[in-house]
Amino acid sequence: MQRIVNDLEKENLVAFEANPHHRRAQLVVLTERGKQVYTDAMALQAPWINSLSDGIAVDDIKTMQKIMASLRQKLEQDTEEEEPG
């Protein structure tokens, strides 16, 4: 993970800032260039993701959203139970 963040910093997409809540762990923030690249990527992604739902009933999407939320909650619960301490 750190290598990826370091690569993003080299590309001037992110910068490190002091973390007021943790001395050793810096915050990673988007630079202005990073914000622009993200905005451009989302502009390309939005039509594609919207086309995925073409022909799917709204009720089916809502049902899937509930299922995904339940699965996420279960996974988070399982992860918390596995963590030592």
Side-chain angles (χ1 to χ4, degrees), residues 12-13 30-37:
N12 193 30
L13 298 172
L30 287 174
T31 61
E32 287 305 315
R33 180 169 184 261
K35 290 176 186 176
Q36 186 59 54
V37 168

Side-chain angles (χ1 to χ4, degrees), residues 6-34:
N6 290 342
D7 289 347
L8 292 172
E9 182 192 29
K10 287 177 188 171
E11 294 293 324
N12 193 30
L13 298 172
V14 300
F16 296 106
E17 290 184 359
N19 184 343
H21 304 289
H22 196 285
R23 274 190 259 166
R24 292 188 305 156
Q26 293 181 313
L27 297 175
V28 179
V29 296
L30 287 174
T31 61
E32 287 305 315
R33 180 169 184 261

